[in-house]
Amino acid sequence: MIKKETWNVFGMSCAACAARIEKGLSRLDGVKSASVNLATEKAVVTYDDSIVDDSRIEETISGLGYKAVKEEQGEATVTLNIGGMSCASCAARIEKKFSRMDGVSEARVNLATERATVRYNPGKVRVPDMIAAVESIGYTAAVAESSYDREREQREMEIKNLRNTFVISAVLTAPLLLGMILWMAGLRGPVVAFLHNQWLQFALTTPVQFIIGARFYRNAWKALKSGSANMDVLIAMGTSAAYFFSLYNAFFREAGSGMMHELYFESSAVIITLILLGKYLEAVAKGKTSEAIRKLMGLQARTARVLRDGQETDIPVEEVQAGDIIVVRPGEKVPVDGVIVEGTSSVDESMLTGESLPVEKKPGDTVIGATINRFGSFRFRATRVGRDTVLSQIIRMVEEAQGSKAPIQKLADKVAGIFVPAVIGIATLTFIIWLLVTGDTGRALISAVSVLVIACPCALGLATPTAIMVGTGKGAEKGILIKGGEYLETAYRINTVVLDKTGTVTRGMPEVTDIIPIAGLSRRDVLKFAATAEKRSEHPLGIAIYEQGKRELGSIDDPDDFEAITGMGVRAKIGEKEVHVGTRRLMTGLGLDVSGIEDTVTRLEDEGKTAMILSVNGRAEGVIAVADTIKESSPKAIEMLKKMGIGVYMMTGDNERTARAIARQAGIEHVLAEVLPENKAREVERLKSEGCVVAMVGDGINDAPALATADIGMAMGNGTDVAMEAAGITLMRGDLTSIPDAIRLSRKTMTKIRQNLFWAFIYNIIGIPVAALGLLNPMIAGAAMAFSSVSVVTNSLSLKRFK
């Protein structure tokens, strides 16, 4: 069975690390594809589990020197407040109790905070079971008001550790840097002599080199042990060369008048300090790239008021089960998705649809978790809970998109894979040439160190994923859900947009406007026959006729027999009568002469209405016109697309005259009319064959093939799950202005990616030759290398200003 799983990977330092892991995983038998994202620190692996298992994948990543933790799908994390612990053995005892529970994959108990963080499978174990387990061994437990985001907690710990390490390193390095600056300024005296004392410099530099800089040695060793090299190898080699050369000059070589110039302790210390500063700033910036996820998570309700044994009980939202009856009062958030069973209210769904006006709700209507109940109280039955709610699916889609790769990143990955060995070769060559030309070992060494330090593939690895993270996150904030980097990259090339009519250009809520008898039946009879025939129809036009019948006639009987004729209408048996409701094409196919009502039908169609003919026992008896008004946003969106140089087509099953009337109202010039559902994908394919890069926008099941055929499919969020599954971009707000917004966001993101790649390459293209020519101080090289990554991430973060 082919599976696609995600692993959190810890310990990567640059793009070479990500490339090495990808290469190692791709070599495994059974692995179809592997994508490693440096920015999100995740590996997504598609594999055949009959050939390779999870443990083998984890072993491969671990064997390359990194830590891998599988991100379990369907798992949840809960934080419990624990009472009654007195020492470390208490915490260990509780952890042991959790670990023995079926369904618990990880449990960490913190004595200091008196909290337990438990990762578990909701299908196997419930939170009340965990609480009962803790209480059974003599402690108390309760769900904490807010649960920790494990990844966020780990990132915060990493940032704190980097900050503390940098501060210590900066304090130790400051005297070395001051001494160098004073010496270069031409100052001499006891203070300068003291700062240049070899014992002082040795004492200050050694802890920076081997304690604070131990991370670089550890990671370099892991990389070399696995037969490759990364950024840590460059840093370890460069700083070690400067340190040990200075050590030799300080204690194993006779002092001379130029001795001070032969100590480079400050170079190694300053390089390490600056790189730590860069790593700290990079970690802070990377944390900001996933802000959208945190905002979405913040929308979730924390508790739910559930009816249990006739009593209202407040429980954590994680404990809500499908089928529970939940009470919602005015001003409260709806905890999970469900269907109202009692009461009426107005619900603010702006977080989902962008519509500012509250939506009226009554029994039978659906409610979505995280929306806000404004006025009335109601009870609803939970239908989707946990990871199945709409909000959870949105969060998961954004997470997957942020962890994906855009095709443009392949170039950076290829370069990163060969970059470090090439740099080591250039540095070695630089050292040899300088030594042969000048005979000055110090000059040769410093030039080689500068080459090693300036060349960092970090920025290459961060250029694309950070921009994609911010871009997809910004899209989510605007109700534009982009499934992955490849869709974001494709969207910027779009030059043609094909719009489905019903529910996309129009509101999708048509109403009957005209009922015209043309033979012996009365208006009431025409409506009665048509409404009965359409009672089982799922087409919006048929539903409109049935609803009109209910309003005017009360209850509508069921037809004795029913058949939907795709793209043309319906056939029904009502008593002894054979009834058809549909297009002229349907009537012509039945052999009916409709020439006598042609003028009536034409007039209605010229007004932008869809005219359907009613026939009873082979005789045309009436015409029913249904109009679906265009959305207020449609003309504005079409105008925006035209200004962007994008051709707009409207595709519909309606006849040419009606379709063109609707298109005129929306400002659309190109119309594809009378297109049967099964032919929509063929029309999209035709446009692609003409050289168009096509975005198909639709909301129905019959749009799914066309959505999948287009270069990129955009599904309206108020549409069907099938359409949303087939699309690469989902427009949650059902507003056509989201289409130009999505394309503009794609173009802006791609601009940022190109800028990032340019800066990532330019640092090295300019920096390496300058360093090799001996024109770059190693400390300046270290600063440039450190801030190359920071500049790339900061540039990506500027996408947050997208309007």
Side-chain angles (χ1 to χ4, degrees):
M1 177 182 172
I2 303 298
K3 294 173 71 177
K4 184 179 182 180
E5 303 287 0
T6 302
W7 274 262
N8 292 313
V9 181
F10 305 99
M12 293 190 292
S13 61
C14 66
C17 299
R20 185 164 73 254
I21 296 169
E22 272 188 11
K23 192 179 289 184
L25 291 172
S26 299
R27 286 173 178 166
L28 287 176
D29 287 338
V31 171
K32 306 295 182 184
S33 67
S35 175
V36 181
N37 191 311
L38 175 64
T40 58
E41 297 181 321
K42 293 179 187 289
V44 179
V45 187
T46 304
Y47 62 102
D48 187 336
D49 65 352
S50 64
I51 301 174
V52 62
D53 58 14
D54 294 350
S55 60
R56 180 75 180 109
I57 290 170
E58 286 186 23
E59 283 172 15
T60 300
I61 297 173
S62 299
L64 293 169
Y66 307 92
K67 181 184 177 184
V69 178
K70 187 180 176 187
E71 203 174 74
E72 295 293 344
Q73 298 299 316
E75 285 203 335
T77 302
V78 66
T79 300
L80 303 175
N81 288 325
I82 306 294
M85 293 191 294
S86 59
C87 64
S89 63
C90 297
R93 188 179 174 205
I94 296 168
E95 279 187 3
K96 195 171 185 180
K97 184 70 176 178
F98 280 134
S99 65
R100 289 175 177 170
M101 297 182 74
D102 185 32
V104 173
S105 58
E106 183 184 9
R108 290 175 292 126
V109 179
N110 189 314
L111 177 63
T113 60
E114 296 187 318
R115 286 191 169 199
T117 303
V118 186
R119 197 148 55 98
Y120 66 101
N121 185 331
K124 293 183 179 179
V125 64
R126 296 168 58 242
V127 174
D129 300 331
M130 298 181 209
I131 293 173
V134 173
E135 291 174 345
S136 71
I137 56 175
Y139 304 93
T140 62
V143 176
E145 284 188 13
S146 60
S147 61
Y148 284 112
D149 178 351
R150 290 175 67 251
E151 290 181 35
R152 185 182 177 188
E153 184 184 357
Q154 287 168 346
R155 190 175 293 282
E156 286 174 351
M157 287 175 62
E158 179 195 2
I159 290 171
K160 184 179 178 181
N161 177 262
L162 282 168
R163 183 180 64 241
N164 293 342
T165 307
F166 164 70
V167 169
I168 295 168
S169 185
V171 168
L172 292 171
T173 303
L176 300 169
L177 187 59
L178 178 62
M180 184 199 70
I181 292 170
L182 293 175
W183 175 268
M184 290 174 69
L187 298 176
R188 304 291 185 269
V191 174
V192 177
F194 172 73
L195 292 174
H196 275 270
N197 180 276
Q198 64 263 41
W199 287 102
L200 176 66
Q201 292 207 354
F202 170 73
L204 291 172
T205 305
T206 301
V208 175
Q209 184 72 36
F210 297 109
I211 299 176
I212 294 170
R215 58 164 59 213
F216 302 117
Y217 285 103
R218 279 195 302 269
N219 294 336
W221 169 245
K222 289 175 183 176
L224 293 171
K225 194 168 65 172
S226 64
S228 61
N230 63 1
M231 181 202 82
D232 298 296
V233 172
L234 299 180
I235 295 168
M237 287 179 66
T239 58
S240 295
Y243 177 85
F244 286 109
F245 183 63
S246 300
L247 190 68
Y248 168 74
N249 284 340
F251 302 110
F252 302 100
R253 184 176 173 184
E254 287 187 21
S257 59
M259 190 63 201
M260 287 186 182
H261 296 285
E262 293 297 315
L263 290 182
Y264 301 102
F265 282 124
E266 77 281 348
S267 293
S268 66
V270 170
I271 287 168
I272 289 172
T273 303
L274 286 172
I275 289 168
L276 286 174
L277 174 61
K279 283 288 179 188
Y280 167 68
L281 295 174
E282 179 188 315
V284 171
K286 279 165 66 178
K288 292 179 182 177
T289 59
S290 57
E291 222 169 68
I293 297 288
R294 290 200 293 275
K295 284 182 180 178
L296 288 170
M297 287 179 169
L299 295 174
Q300 293 175 317
R302 299 296 181 192
T303 61
R305 187 174 295 107
V306 180
L307 278 179
R308 296 270 170 91
D309 301 322
Q311 299 292 319
E312 293 182 9
T313 308
D314 286 345
I315 63 171
V317 73
E318 294 87 358
E319 294 183 32
V320 176
Q321 297 179 357
D324 279 343
I325 300 297
I326 299 169
V327 180
V328 183
R329 293 173 183 161
E332 294 181 340
K333 281 185 178 180
V334 178
V336 295
D337 300 357
V339 178
I340 294 178
V341 295
E342 182 183 322
T344 59
S345 184
S346 295
V347 178
D348 179 356
E349 296 184 340
S350 57
M351 55 74 61
L352 190 69
T353 64
E355 178 57 57
S356 58
L357 293 176
V359 180
E360 298 297 323
K361 297 288 184 180
K362 62 184 184 301
D365 289 343
T366 59
V367 286
I368 304 298
T371 55
I372 300 171
N373 180 32
R374 285 300 183 202
F375 304 116
S377 296
F378 60 88
R379 295 180 179 185
F380 74 95
R381 178 178 289 104
T383 55
R384 294 197 285 192
V385 301
R387 292 176 65 86
D388 295 327
T389 64
V390 169
L391 182 61
S392 293
Q393 290 173 357
I394 290 172
I395 291 170
R396 192 156 60 248
M397 188 184 291
V398 176
E399 284 178 330
E400 288 174 359
Q402 292 192 337
S404 67
K405 282 190 176 184
I408 196 172
Q409 193 173 341
K410 291 176 182 177
L411 170 64
D413 289 346
K414 284 181 181 177
V415 172
I418 60 172
F419 190 78
V420 177
V423 169
I424 293 172
I426 294 169
T428 304
L429 194 60
T430 299
F431 177 80
I432 293 170
I433 292 173
W434 271 100
L435 190 62
L436 291 174
V437 172
T438 67
D440 186 340
T441 306
R443 186 74 184 272
L445 185 67
I446 289 305
S447 298
V449 168
S450 295
V451 171
L452 290 171
V453 174
I454 189 67
C456 172
C458 274
L460 279 177
L462 295 169
T464 302
T466 53
I468 286 174
M469 286 177 72
V470 181
T472 53
K474 192 66 187 178
E477 288 177 22
K478 296 176 74 67
I480 302 166
L481 301 184
I482 303 166
K483 279 188 178 179
E486 65 271 30
Y487 303 108
L488 196 62
E489 183 171 336
T490 301
Y492 96 97
R493 296 188 293 109
I494 289 170
N495 56 29
T496 304
V497 171
V498 178
L499 304 169
D500 175 56
K501 180 180 80 75
T502 306
T504 303
V505 176
T506 63
R507 294 181 181 278
M509 296 181 289
E511 294 183 353
V512 174
T513 58
D514 302 84
I515 301 172
I516 304 170
I518 56 174
L521 293 181
S522 67
R523 179 186 182 283
R524 180 184 177 88
D525 289 337
V526 169
L527 178 58
K528 185 176 181 180
F529 274 117
T532 304
E534 296 282 11
K535 186 172 182 179
R536 294 181 186 172
S537 174
E538 294 181 357
H539 194 282
L541 300 180
I543 293 170
I545 293 172
Y546 169 64
E547 292 294 335
Q548 184 70 24
K550 277 203 305 181
R551 278 194 294 272
E552 290 193 26
L553 308 173
S555 62
I556 301 294
D557 295 333
D558 290 331
D560 297 315
D561 189 25
F562 173 82
E563 178 191 359
I565 304 169
T566 305
M568 288 190 282
V570 299
R571 179 198 66 81
K573 190 82 172 175
I574 302 173
E576 297 300 317
K577 294 181 170 59
E578 185 86 7
V579 178
H580 288 84
V581 182
T583 62
R584 276 175 290 189
R585 193 193 309 174
L586 174 63
M587 299 303 159
T588 303
L590 294 171
L592 272 69
D593 181 12
V594 293
S595 57
I597 56 173
E598 188 68 38
D599 290 344
T600 301
V601 172
T602 300
R603 175 179 61 81
L604 293 168
E605 289 173 349
D606 285 339
E607 293 171 3
K609 300 171 183 176
T610 300
M612 288 178 286
I613 300 168
L614 167 74
S615 75
V616 180
N617 287 340
R619 179 184 175 187
E621 292 284 359
V623 178
I624 299 177
V626 179
D628 185 8
T629 56
I630 66 169
K631 293 177 181 176
E632 290 179 7
S633 62
S634 293
K636 179 184 175 183
I638 275 64
E639 185 62 28
M640 290 168 69
L641 288 168
K642 286 179 178 178
K643 285 181 179 178
M644 294 167 69
I646 295 170
V648 183
Y649 289 73
M650 187 181 78
M651 184 158 57
T652 177
D654 279 352
N655 65 78
E656 185 86 20
R657 190 174 286 109
T658 301
R660 290 203 174 276
I662 293 290
R664 274 196 304 273
Q665 294 175 36
I668 300 171
E669 296 167 5
H670 307 290
V671 178
L672 303 172
E674 299 182 33
V675 180
L676 295 175
E678 60 268 26
N679 294 333
K680 286 186 175 182
R682 193 181 305 160
E683 288 292 337
V684 170
E685 195 63 63
R686 180 182 62 78
L687 288 171
K688 286 173 66 177
S689 68
E690 293 173 3
C692 299
V693 180
V694 181
M696 171 70 197
V697 187
D699 70 333
I701 291 173
N702 58 14
D703 296 322
L707 289 168
T709 302
D711 292 290
I712 189 162
M714 296 185 182
M716 306 303 282
N718 53 354
T720 64
D721 289 343
V722 176
M724 290 166 67
E725 189 63 34
I729 296 177
T730 300
L731 309 173
M732 293 303 298
R733 296 178 177 174
D735 186 332
L736 285 193
T737 55
S738 294
I739 301 169
D741 283 347
I743 297 170
R744 285 195 307 110
L745 177 62
S746 169
R747 290 179 178 180
K748 193 74 174 174
T749 304
M750 290 307 300
T751 298
K752 291 297 177 187
I753 289 174
R754 290 196 191 94
Q755 288 172 354
N756 287 347
L757 289 172
F758 170 79
W759 287 113
F761 279 116
I762 210 71
Y763 270 112
N764 295 304
I765 291 170
I766 295 174
I768 292 175
V770 171
L773 291 170
L775 303 175
L776 196 63
N777 184 287
M779 290 180 285
I780 297 172
M785 187 275 281
F787 285 97
S788 65
S789 298
V790 177
S791 64
V792 160
V793 179
T794 304
N795 190 44
S796 295
L797 285 171
S798 66
L799 272 171
K800 287 190 172 190
R801 295 195 293 270
F802 177 83
K803 299 293 184 184

